[in-house]
Amino acid sequence: MSFKFQWTGFPAEFNCEALEMLTRALNKGENKPANLVGPIIAKELDLGSTPPELDILEISELEEDRFRAMFRM
């Protein structure tokens, strides 16, 4: 079985949501270094133009229009 992924870019909505999630994750917790004087803010996200190589480890749900799987990068 094989899949073809289009790696031509992501919608602006995806990038915006990913930046927000990254900013929240970087500011989570109370054990941040003392030399940080303010919050960490992710301002730009570039996933590159070369797609990653993925190995499919497990497919748990498979339907006509979607699937759920575990990958190794």
Side-chain angles (χ1 to χ4, degrees), residues 60-73:
S60 57
E61 293 181 32
L62 184 59
E63 298 177 20
E64 258 186 57
D65 59 342
R66 70 185 191 117
F67 77 99
R68 180 176 293 186
M70 185 182 304
F71 297 95
R72 177 178 53 212
M73 292 179 72

Side-chain angles (χ1 to χ4, degrees), residues 16-48:
C16 185
E17 186 176 340
L19 282 171
E20 289 173 4
M21 290 173 61
L22 181 57
T23 296
R24 280 195 305 269
L26 290 170
N27 289 288
K28 193 175 186 179
E30 299 178 16
N31 296 329
K32 290 186 268 181
N35 59 346
L36 294 178
V37 290
I40 301 168
I41 300 171
K43 293 189 174 194
E44 186 177 330
L45 180 64
D46 184 357
L47 298 175

Side-chain angles (χ1 to χ4, degrees), residues 40-60:
I40 301 168
I41 300 171
K43 293 189 174 194
E44 186 177 330
L45 180 64
D46 184 357
L47 298 175
S49 59
T50 305
E53 292 187 20
L54 303 172
D55 293 327
I56 300 173
L57 300 177
E58 176 183 319
I59 297 177
S60 57

